[in-house]
Amino acid sequence: MTTQAWDAYWADPTTTNSFAFDYTETEGPYGTLNQFWLDVFAAFKDSDIVVDLAAGNGALATLFTQSRTELNCAAWVNIDSATAKPDKLHDKITFAQQNIEQLELADASVDHFVSMYGFEYSDITKSFSQIVRCLKPHGRFAIFMHHPDAIITKQSKVSITAFNQVLKDPFWQTIHTCERLSFPELKNRLLQNLNLHLQSVATEGQDDIKLIGQNIFYLLQSNNNVGWCVAQLQKLRQGILLQVERLTQQIAAAETASMLTQKIVLDNQVAWQITTLDFQGSTLGYCFTGSKN
Ligand SMILES: C[S@@+](CC[C@H](N)C(=O)[O-])C[C@H]1O[C@@H](n2cnc3c(N)ncnc32)[C@H](O)[C@@H]1O
């Protein structure tokens, strides 16, 4: 399992699409999602041990702390395989870097497992057997997962096509050779290239090309040293490659979630249900909830 794409994502302080921000919304699709989680949190008891699987930067813990003055749990552990560095939210909330397919937790030690767009990124056959092993009798799990028909999944497919168009462009593959250009020449070549991609990409993918354009404008405005700009453009290309990797993982995760009942052992050790959470007729994702008998 490679964690490089997520290591880079959580390490970047300029990451703006952190899910944590959206989780605090009270209206729209994220408001619906928040309500799902607030209902889950309401069932916690003060003595409970809560574990967030594939927690990233701790978006769920952020929502939990922001939604109450007293934390109704004994401990909340964020677990992720990437080197995420969540802000210190509360003494009860800690972070552990682990693969959720091989949890370093004692048998029957957890009251609640939660996971938000995370569990389904792993080998769920292994991760679910870890959940069953580590849950206390009557312990519960609430797992919210990507769905192949969700807007977020469809948008990711569009973005991958747009980003790949740029990544495969010979101009971007040989961007290092632009070091010999003058600054105005470099600027012109970049603008021509962006226009070309804007015109040839499908309408739905234009926002992704514009996002790349914004990054380019920002770096051209910061410094007119060609060597520096080319180094930054190479970094930008690397960042787009990693974004494609994450989006590809996300689409695979949605497929995994859609095959959940074929992939995991749902025997009489657990009571469970799978539903979808919808907003205005559109699916946001799968809710996989249950308890250990
Ligand atoms: C889409 S992010 C979601 C993070 C967080 N739950 C959120 O909502 O912001 C998916 C996360 O799953 C983590 N992940 C993927 N496979 C994993 C595994 N086998 N064990 C632990 N974490 C994993 C990645 O490192 C990444 O941080």
Side-chain angles (χ1 to χ4, degrees):
M1 181 188 57
T2 168
T3 62
Q4 191 201 2
W6 290 105
D7 287 344
Y9 182 74
W10 300 120
D12 179 2
T14 64
T15 295
T16 51
N17 54 342
S18 162
F19 296 102
F21 174 77
D22 298 322
Y23 286 175
T24 58
E25 298 284 322
T26 53
E27 296 187 359
Y30 285 107
T32 305
L33 208 45
N34 286 348
Q35 194 52 55
F36 167 78
W37 284 115
L38 295 182
D39 292 344
V40 171
F41 301 160
F44 297 172
K45 293 194 296 297
D46 291 346
S47 57
D48 284 351
I49 307 295
V50 182
V51 175
D52 182 357
L53 298 171
N57 249 8
L60 275 185
T62 303
L63 177 62
F64 180 58
T65 53
Q66 285 178 355
S67 62
R68 60 240 310 117
T69 42
E70 295 286 323
L71 300 194
N72 52 324
C73 71
W76 174 302
V77 187
N78 290 315
I79 294 186
D80 201 286
S81 51
T83 48
K85 294 186 193 72
D87 291 338
K88 176 89 184 156
L89 291 170
H90 192 281
D91 284 346
K92 289 182 178 178
I93 299 176
T94 53
F95 178 79
Q97 190 175 6
Q98 288 177 28
N99 181 349
I100 63 171
E101 296 158 16
Q102 298 155 0
L103 285 175
E104 296 163 35
L105 298 171
D107 294 357
S109 60
V110 176
D111 296 281
H112 292 271
F113 277 109
V114 291
S115 183
M116 171 82 185
Y117 293 144
F119 167 75
E120 71 277 27
Y121 284 74
S122 67
D123 177 334
I124 61 172
T125 311
K126 293 181 182 163
S127 315
F128 192 68
S129 73
Q130 292 293 303
I131 289 178
V132 177
R133 177 182 71 76
C134 298
L135 270 181
K136 293 179 185 173
H138 310 299
R140 293 159 81 156
F141 59 89
I143 298 174
F144 186 76
M145 300 182 290
H146 288 294
H147 190 295
D149 298 334
I151 290 170
I152 184 172
T153 312
K154 290 179 183 164
Q155 182 55 48
S156 295
K157 289 181 182 168
V158 169
S159 300
I160 288 175
T161 306
F163 289 148
N164 273 337
Q165 182 181 307
V166 173
L167 291 171
K168 286 183 186 145
D169 180 336
F171 172 75
W172 280 92
Q173 288 184 345
T174 57
I175 193 78
H176 58 281
T177 60
C178 290
E179 273 187 341
R180 57 188 158 71
L181 301 177
S182 68
F183 184 74
E185 284 169 337
L186 175 66
K187 200 170 169 179
N188 274 341
R189 294 277 287 274
L190 283 164
L191 290 180
Q192 278 171 9
N193 185 268
L194 273 176
N195 269 332
L196 189 84
H197 285 296
L198 261 182
Q199 280 163 24
S200 54
V201 79
T203 317
E204 315 88 81
Q206 287 187 345
D207 282 349
D208 297 300
I209 303 292
K210 285 180 190 162
L211 191 68
I212 297 175
Q214 275 169 15
N215 278 283
I216 292 173
F217 280 123
Y218 177 72
L219 74 88
L220 290 177
Q221 272 177 352
S222 315
N223 195 325
N224 62 5
N225 177 296
V226 172
W228 182 87
C229 286
V230 170
Q232 297 304 310
L233 290 166
Q234 284 175 302
K235 273 192 199 166
L236 178 61
R237 186 172 187 277
Q238 184 60 24
I240 299 169
L241 268 169
L242 291 173
Q243 177 69 352
V244 168
E245 162 66 21
R246 287 189 294 270
L247 294 174
T248 305
Q249 282 186 28
Q250 183 191 305
I251 290 162
E255 288 304 320
T256 300
S258 72
M259 294 186 294
L260 185 117
T261 51
Q262 288 121 280
K263 286 187 175 268
I264 65 178
V265 179
L266 289 160
D267 57 18
N268 58 8
Q269 284 193 84
V270 286
W272 57 277
Q273 60 171 342
I274 298 176
T275 55
T276 59
L277 192 65
D278 301 330
F279 177 74
Q280 292 182 346
S282 293
T283 297
L284 300 175
Y286 293 106
C287 306
F288 175 38
T289 53
S291 58
K292 187 167 168 177
N293 290 327

